[in-house]
Amino acid sequence: MSDQRPLAMVTGGSSGIGFELAKQFARHGYDVALSGSSDRVHEAARSIEELGAQAYPFQADAATYDGVEGFWNFVAELGRPLDAAALNVGIGLGGAFMDTDLQDEFRLIDINVKGTVHMAKRVVQHMVPNGHGRILIVSSTSATTPTPYETVYGPSKAFGFSFAESLREELRDTGVTVTALLPGATDSDFHSNAGMDNTALGPGATKNDKVLVAQQGFEALLNDVDEVVGGDEETKQTREDNRTTPEPVKAHRQAELTRPRGD
Ligand SMILES: NC(=O)c1ccc[n+]([C@@H]2O[C@H](COP(=O)([O-])OP(=O)(O)OC[C@H]3O[C@@H](n4cnc5c(N)ncnc54)[C@H](OP(=O)(O)O)[C@@H]3O)[C@@H](O)[C@H]2O)c1
């Protein structure tokens, strides 16, 4: 038996929910490889090391093939079996579809959809021959409702949710599990980065605690749950209501949160 600590990777692990997930892994005995597009990933790694883990930071753009492949090669070259992977990196994009820049939408799809598939391919092809591994795919409660004024974001997260549930069934009996984390609106840089400061989700909005969201995702991953909502009771209730509420009703309700003020 190896006395080496298990190894986890977290994409987009330098801030927000991903950083909190990285801390969960570190506190539970894992070493952690983490990625981010800016150099703050190195500072995040130092914080992870303060928790007693080895941290392996990698700076690359997850919107590009080379960025995703580069992070995977970096993890593979550690020469250790990968025990857990949190495919967390994702960006938002607010605004009316009429006005948003198509290149920004393509970039979102590259990160949230293409990048997730790319990294999942590498992770699955590594874990299945090893006969073990846990994969967490960070989707969103936005996967369960139309998302006007985030017109491409919600569908990208619906992709992640369905992808996770599909892969989970395919990997049954391989020793590799797949869990989808569906956070509700969470306190991070996400909405500001998405250009949504001028909406009801902007500064001052009540949001879920990213520490709680990460704890819930980590526990679900360890307990081999297929899907977990990240957030408080109200967030969980919204997800339940979304199962039976007609799509146009949900779309109208969601627009109240996401419509830029003045539109
Ligand atoms: N916050 C919410 O309300 C919410 C709700 C539901 C689901 N989610 C999902 O949760 C996940 C994490 O979101 P978050 O709220 O933690 O967002 P966040 O605070 O904006 O953090 C995003 C993380 O991804 C990294 N990142 C962004 N663009 C990247 C790129 N091109 N290449 C590599 N790394 C990149 C960021 O690092 P750098 O800044 O260094 O690039 C950061 O570590 C996303 O998939 C999001 O869709 C969020």
Side-chain angles (χ1 to χ4, degrees):
M1 273 267 296
S2 161
D3 57 2
Q4 201 166 40
R5 292 160 61 96
L7 178 66
M9 72 183 286
V10 182
T11 66
S14 61
S15 75
I17 296 168
F19 182 45
E20 296 305 326
L21 282 168
K23 287 199 257 181
Q24 286 291 323
F25 282 114
R27 289 201 181 98
H28 289 84
Y30 289 74
D31 292 334
V32 188
L34 62 162
S35 69
S37 72
S38 67
D39 61 6
R40 67 176 165 173
V41 71
H42 299 286
E43 193 186 322
R46 283 192 288 279
S47 303
I48 298 298
E49 297 213 318
E50 283 167 15
L51 299 173
Q54 282 285 330
Y56 305 99
F58 190 81
Q59 188 180 343
D61 184 1
T64 66
Y65 182 94
D66 288 348
V68 177
E69 192 72 4
F71 184 39
W72 171 253
N73 286 335
F74 173 78
V75 172
E77 282 163 16
L78 295 174
R80 295 167 55 174
L82 181 65
D83 299 283
L87 307 188
N88 162 77
V89 65
I91 62 166
L93 178 62
F97 186 72
M98 175 73 187
D99 302 328
T100 44
D101 186 329
L102 182 61
Q103 291 310 318
D104 290 340
E105 261 124 15
F106 285 167
R107 182 172 168 79
L108 182 152
I109 292 166
D110 284 343
I111 295 173
N112 297 10
V113 178
K114 205 167 153 189
T116 300
V117 172
H118 183 165
M119 190 58 88
K121 179 73 83 181
R122 299 295 179 242
V123 167
V124 166
Q125 290 183 338
H126 170 90
M127 286 181 172
V128 169
N130 289 346
H132 85 277
R134 299 176 191 278
I135 301 172
L136 184 71
I137 294 181
V138 181
S139 170
S140 170
T141 52
S142 294
T144 68
T145 175
T147 57
Y149 303 102
E150 295 179 285
T151 328
V152 177
Y153 174 71
S156 80
K157 293 280 121 177
F159 174 88
F161 183 27
S162 182
F163 179 63
E165 293 282 5
S166 306
L167 198 52
R168 177 182 174 83
E169 175 60 24
E170 247 184 77
L171 298 184
R172 184 188 291 275
D173 304 327
T174 65
V176 179
T177 66
V178 184
T179 296
L181 170 60
L182 278 60
T186 301
D187 62 336
S188 73
D189 299 337
F190 177 84
H191 291 102
S192 190
N193 289 341
M196 296 179 71
D197 283 345
N198 190 26
T199 71
L201 291 171
T206 304
K207 296 186 194 171
N208 289 294
D209 176 7
K210 61 192 170 203
V211 177
L212 173 68
V213 169
Q215 271 170 357
Q216 291 167 329
F218 183 78
E219 275 165 29
L221 182 72
L222 282 202
N223 292 323
D224 187 13
V225 175
D226 70 314
E227 167 212 336
V228 66
V229 172
D232 60 12
E233 281 312 311
E234 193 182 333
T235 304
K236 290 179 189 295
Q237 190 55 51
T238 301
R239 191 272 180 271
E240 285 310 309
D241 294 347
N242 282 352
R243 292 182 195 274
T244 51
T245 307
E247 301 303 305
V249 175
K250 289 189 286 189
H252 188 72
R253 195 171 60 194
Q254 186 73 8
E256 298 304 312
L257 291 174
T258 53
R259 183 185 294 112
R261 293 194 179 97
D263 266 32

